[in-house]
């Protein structure tokens, strides 16, 4: 196996929650008479840090705090939790990598406590050596978390693969020197992902096929 470590993004990559996220943002927009947003539109606009999306949508930061907005988002997101699941090929790929001795990690922009609770809920905690999440719900850049993980790994960056679903994942991989594979069935549109120049796959099953060919 070419890679010794795989760094996973969580939301949108392993967890199929793009629609739940788009619906939460849509409700926030409607509450403020700022229009609405479809899943397709959300996938064309999502960015990190997430605060930029709210700025561009016209949210009034003089009368509302960003922290309150984040709490509102998570409240609506939780209401859709029953419709959220792992992507179809997620467990199969996690198992395949584990069977080949690849150490796996999660680096996420999600708040750590929420992140761990979700991972445990879906019964996949044992696949990961480490889990890194944010201290709050702001959805800020996770670059510092990736750098901290990379510094702790006794390996060359070319032996590390980061798998994600956003432009930010591609940027983080570049900052730590890791290879990057992206999937286009998460939070970001295929067109935007292809513009990064990274390999883009329609789902984790197709990504696994590519890894099998490299092995």
């Amino acid at each position: 196996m070419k890679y010794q470590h795989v760094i996973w993004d969580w939301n949108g990559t392993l967890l199929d929650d793009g629609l739940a996220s788009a619906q939460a943002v849509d409700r926030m927009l409607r509450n403020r008479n700022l229009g609405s947003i479809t899943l397709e539109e959300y996938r064309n606009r999502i960015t990190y840090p997430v605060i930029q999306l709210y700025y561009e949508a016209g949210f009034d930061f003089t009368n509302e705090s960003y922290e309150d907005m984040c709490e509102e988002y998570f409240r609506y997101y939780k209401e859709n939790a029953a419709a959220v699941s792992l992507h179809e090929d997620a467990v199969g790929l996690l198992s395949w990598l584990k069977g080949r001795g690849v150490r796996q990690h999660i680096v996420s922009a999600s708040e750590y406590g929420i992140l761990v609770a979700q991972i445990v809920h879906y019964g996949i905690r044992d696949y990961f050596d480490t889990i890194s999440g944010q201290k709050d719900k702001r959805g800020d850049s996770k670059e510092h978390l990736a750098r901290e993980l990379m510094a702790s790994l006794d390996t060359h960056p070319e032996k590390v693969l980061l798998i994600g679903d956003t432009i930010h994942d591609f940027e983080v991989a570049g900052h730590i020197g890791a290879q990057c594979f992206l999937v286009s069935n998460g939070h970001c549109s295929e067109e935007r992902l292809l513009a990064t120049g990274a390999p883009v796959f329609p789902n984790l099953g197709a990504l696994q096929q590519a890894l099998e060919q490299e092995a």
Side-chain angles (χ1 to χ4, degrees):
M1 182 65 184
K2 178 178 178 180
Y3 302 105
Q4 296 176 347
H5 298 266
V6 167
I7 300 174
W8 286 97
D9 169 60
W10 174 241
N11 299 94
T13 301
L14 287 168
L15 189 66
D16 185 7
D17 66 348
L19 181 58
S21 297
Q23 289 174 335
V25 174
D26 179 66
R27 288 186 65 180
M28 294 174 70
L29 289 167
R30 292 176 184 272
N31 288 347
R32 295 162 177 80
N33 295 316
L34 293 173
S36 62
I37 192 169
T38 65
L39 175 59
E40 182 180 3
E41 290 167 342
Y42 170 83
R43 295 175 79 240
N44 281 321
R45 292 169 64 178
I46 187 63
T47 185
Y48 290 89
V50 176
I51 191 171
Q52 186 62 33
L53 184 152
Y54 296 137
Y55 272 123
E56 293 173 359
F59 281 59
D60 184 358
F61 287 87
T62 61
N63 293 315
E64 292 187 86
S65 74
Y66 181 53
E67 287 70 22
D68 287 344
M69 293 177 192
C70 293
E71 290 293 339
E72 180 184 0
Y73 166 85
F74 185 64
R75 185 167 67 251
Y76 294 146
Y77 176 88
K78 285 197 300 182
E79 291 178 7
N80 296 315
V84 173
S85 64
L86 295 177
H87 277 293
E88 180 179 2
D89 302 308
V91 175
L93 180 48
L94 290 170
S95 180
W96 184 83
L97 290 167
K98 184 176 181 179
R100 281 149 185 79
V102 178
R103 295 176 60 191
Q104 301 182 76
H105 315 267
I106 286 184
V107 174
S108 173
S110 290
E111 191 272 330
Y112 178 76
I114 297 169
L115 174 64
V116 172
Q118 287 182 313
I119 293 167
V120 171
H121 171 75
Y122 291 107
I124 57 173
R125 174 63 184 90
D126 291 344
Y127 286 108
F128 306 105
D129 285 35
T130 64
I131 297 173
S132 301
Q134 303 281 30
K135 296 178 180 179
D136 52 46
K137 300 173 184 172
R138 290 174 53 90
D140 290 333
S141 171
K142 59 186 180 182
E143 179 185 338
H144 66 291
L145 298 174
R147 288 186 182 276
E148 290 170 4
L149 172 61
M150 199 67 178
S152 72
L153 301 180
D154 185 23
T155 191
H156 193 278
E158 68 182 13
K159 297 291 186 179
V160 179
L161 172 65
L162 190 152
I163 300 176
D165 70 316
T166 66
I167 295 171
H168 184 55
D169 290 314
F170 172 76
E171 293 169 343
V172 169
H175 289 310
I176 63 174
Q179 172 69 18
C180 183
F181 283 0
L182 299 170
V183 287
S184 60
N185 60 345
H187 285 244
C188 195
S189 68
E190 181 181 40
E191 181 180 6
R192 295 175 70 199
L193 296 179
L194 288 171
T196 67
V200 178
F201 303 91
N203 51 54
L204 293 175
L207 191 153
Q208 180 174 338
Q209 291 177 4
L211 288 175
E212 290 173 348
Q213 292 173 3
E214 287 187 359

